[in-house]
Amino acid sequence: MEPLSLQEYICSLDPALLPRVLRVCSGVYFQGSVYEVSGSECCLSTGDFLKVIAVRLQKVICEDVETGHTRELPPTFAGERGCGAPMGAGRGHPPARALRSTRLCLPQAPSSRARTRSPTAACGSCSAARGAARPPGPCASSRPRSCARGEPGAALSAALLPAVRKEVVKIPSTLEVDVEDVTEQAPHVHFIQPLLLSEVLHMEGALPAQAELLEGPGPPGVFKSAWVARLRKGQRIHLHGRGCAWRVLASAPAGGRRFLLSSAYAGRFRQRPRQFGSVHELASGLRAGQRLRVVVTRDCEGAAEEAPPLGAGERLEARELLGATLLCARADDGEELRLPLGLAAAFVEELCDSHTYSLAEALERLPLPADVRVVAKDPSLARDVLASFSALRLEARVTEPFLVGSFCEEPHERFEVPPRWLDVSLFLTGEPVAPPGSADLSRVEELHEHFYYRLLGQLPGGAAPPPPRPPKAKAAAG
């Protein structure tokens, strides 16, 4: 068909023929322009495709054919089509002759168009179309436009409803753009429904599915992983469903690196005695209702009368925090000591545990946070980075939901992505999905530092904050 203005096309459209595919040809927005409709930004560019899918009635304007007086009726009006009341009521002009009175609720009016052969308006959906010159920008809410109806004294007011990317929103059909109906000529144009990965998380009935990314994850990053870097626009992935693994947040105190360990991690751990560089640190490691046995690792002479001297090799039991002091007892004779929090003594935890633990066993038997070291690598990993650290701290269990995915070109390797942390826009292609492989790329994920602290602050039931540091001693007067 020849290009028409959007308004001419909508007024001539028969709703019985919907849906229809349109291509934007030219007009005021010839080179593509951004404009505002009802406070929202909208963009229609030459070459963009629209899909008109439905009819939405906004209002009816009844006009007295003799006096010219008009009256607006809402879509919910259930009276007579001819308005059933004088048009000039309240203005001093009741007409001498009533309009034709065929009873019809206004929501039914669009469906009567085929019988009346009168112009009407239509609703549609414009979405990013594969094969379009460039995808349209976000559309906006509309204000209604009026068009004449081929019945005496009646006019329809409706709006074109396009949906770009995600939502169905309104734009006026009076936009000064020319369109061409290409429904029959463009069967290759496929309209997509953009989704967020976090939305797919709740669409388990639609999985497994193949998807194509419309964008990659933006900064700042979450994981320092090679597979994350491959999540970019145009990449196709298989989404298999929710993962069943839980995670453990861990850190390597010596190297300042942070990790998220999957419950599928198959290495083994041995508990490692904690080290404390001061009485303040020792008090921070004391858990409520428990006593902590430690060994003094270097001689320490108290700087004040209330600070007793401590000798290397001396065994103590830390019991409870009393104000600015830590109540301890000597293991040999039970003598109680009050150690100031500012005392720069050094201790190591006394352990008699040579058992090795899986990750699940470590969480079951060791109170968190727990210091451990890897004594057996995960045999499924080509390089187990955790084995390179002399100490790891298991900090907290994480129950965030993950989706199992794989790359279409490498279906034998799977990864697990947390949609609420690493959200991207994509669409489901409807193509077949290969089953997930056995190789797991995400058993050990290294975290960016900023995300580690963000996650640490979000975890419920974490360890109690350490006691406040004591005030610094005043310098002696000269």
Side-chain angles (χ1 to χ4, degrees), residues 61 73 87 151 164 236 238 240 284 365 371 382 397 462 465 468:
I61 300 176
L73 299 179
M87 294 297 99
E151 289 186 21
V164 178
R236 291 204 168 194
H238 295 158
H240 304 284
S284 300
R365 302 185 187 181
D371 286 0
R397 177 167 172 160

Side-chain angles (χ1 to χ4, degrees), residues 294-365:
V294 296
V295 178
V296 180
T297 57
R298 66 169 182 260
D299 293 339
C300 177
E301 294 292 335
E305 292 183 0
E306 66 273 12
L310 300 175
E314 191 170 353
R315 298 167 61 242
L316 301 177
E317 183 183 78
R319 293 185 173 178
E320 61 178 319
L321 185 65
L322 298 176
T325 63
L326 180 64
L327 177 63
C328 300
R330 298 185 191 273
D332 296 335
D333 55 15
E335 178 187 357
E336 289 191 341
L337 307 174
R338 288 177 178 259
L339 303 182
L341 295 182
L343 186 63
F347 312 90
V348 63
E349 187 176 12
E350 187 177 25
L351 292 177
C352 299
D353 183 8
S354 59
H355 186 75
T356 63
Y357 301 92
S358 67
L359 188 59
E361 291 170 340
L363 262 63
E364 180 182 354
R365 302 185 187 181

Side-chain angles (χ1 to χ4, degrees), residues 21 49 64 75 94 115 121 174 191 226 258 304 381 411 423 434 436 458 471:
V21 177
F49 290 83
D64 187 281
R115 298 192 301 272
T174 53
F191 288 83
R258 287 90 182 184
L381 300 178
D423 213 356
Q458 293 176 350

